[in-house]
Amino acid sequence: MAMEIERKFLLPEYPERLIEEGQLKVLTRHSIDQTYLAIEDGQELRVRKITDLDTGEVTYTHTFKDGKGISRQEIEYSISAGLYNQMIEAVKAVALVKTRITGVWNDTTVEIDLYTQLELTVLEVEFDSLEEAESFIAPEWFGQDVSTEKKYSNKTVWKQLQNK
């Protein structure tokens, strides 16, 4: 099982100026529909429909995560559209929809998630080690570090969406 080590920041504004100036180079743009199948005691099972906004290509993933905080175990693999649709139909839940912009800033890969149904934009950075994550000094434009704040986790936001 692979380890996912990431920090999450509450992005105060979309970094349009940094993109225009070439300081933040956009690599990919995706629309992601994310639905949780099960959530319990730090474990989660989810599926995603991922649409590449530049090519139109659609892929589907099934993911299991275990743990809390900035370091968690993760297994993710591709699934077919048919399997995805069966799982979505079985849970009859509202998908959490976000646009993910992946880019590079100062040799650091960043993922900016713009949530469609909410007033929320976050920036995530993944790391190879816990030491690297803990020693990372984020620039001011990243905003507040919310890595360990449960209310900004995707599963918490998704649960709130189900109650609307």
Side-chain angles (χ1 to χ4, degrees), residues 63-94:
T63 307
F64 169 76
K65 291 188 181 191
D66 187 18
K68 296 176 181 172
I70 67 171
S71 178
R72 304 185 296 166
Q73 294 182 325
E74 177 183 65
I75 299 173
E76 184 169 81
Y77 54 90
S78 295
I79 58 173
S80 68
L83 191 54
Y84 170 84
N85 288 326
Q86 287 179 48
M87 286 188 260
I88 291 300
E89 187 60 34
V91 297
K92 296 192 185 322
V94 177

Side-chain angles (χ1 to χ4, degrees), residues 8 36 115 146 149-158:
K8 184 182 284 194
Y36 289 85
Y115 292 84
V146 294
E149 292 190 40
K150 190 176 175 181
K151 72 179 182 178
Y152 294 108
S153 75
N154 279 314
K155 63 185 166 204
T156 299
V157 171
W158 179 82

Side-chain angles (χ1 to χ4, degrees), residues 11 25 44 50 59 65 69 71 97 119 123 132 135 145 147 157:
L11 194 61
K25 181 178 177 1
E44 61 190 67
I50 305 166
T59 56
K65 291 188 181 191
S71 178
V97 181
E119 295 275 332
L123 181 146
E132 186 182 354
S135 65
D145 187 336
S147 303
V157 171

Side-chain angles (χ1 to χ4, degrees), residues 99-161:
T99 299
R100 171 166 287 169
I101 310 298
T102 302
V104 176
W105 171 81
N106 274 6
D107 295 326
T108 300
T109 300
V110 298
E111 294 176 334
I112 298 170
D113 288 343
L114 305 138
Y115 292 84
T116 303
Q117 302 117 313
L118 312 160
E119 295 275 332
L120 179 63
T121 303
V122 298
L123 181 146
E124 295 179 354
V125 180
E126 291 197 15
F127 299 92
D128 294 327
S129 71
L130 197 52
E131 296 77 24
E132 186 182 354
E134 290 171 342
S135 65
F136 179 74
I137 299 170
E140 192 174 307
W141 71 268
F142 277 24
Q144 176 186 347
D145 187 336
V146 294
S147 303
T148 57
E149 292 190 40
K150 190 176 175 181
K151 72 179 182 178
Y152 294 108
S153 75
N154 279 314
K155 63 185 166 204
T156 299
V157 171
W158 179 82
K159 281 183 194 176
Q160 291 169 351
L161 188 59

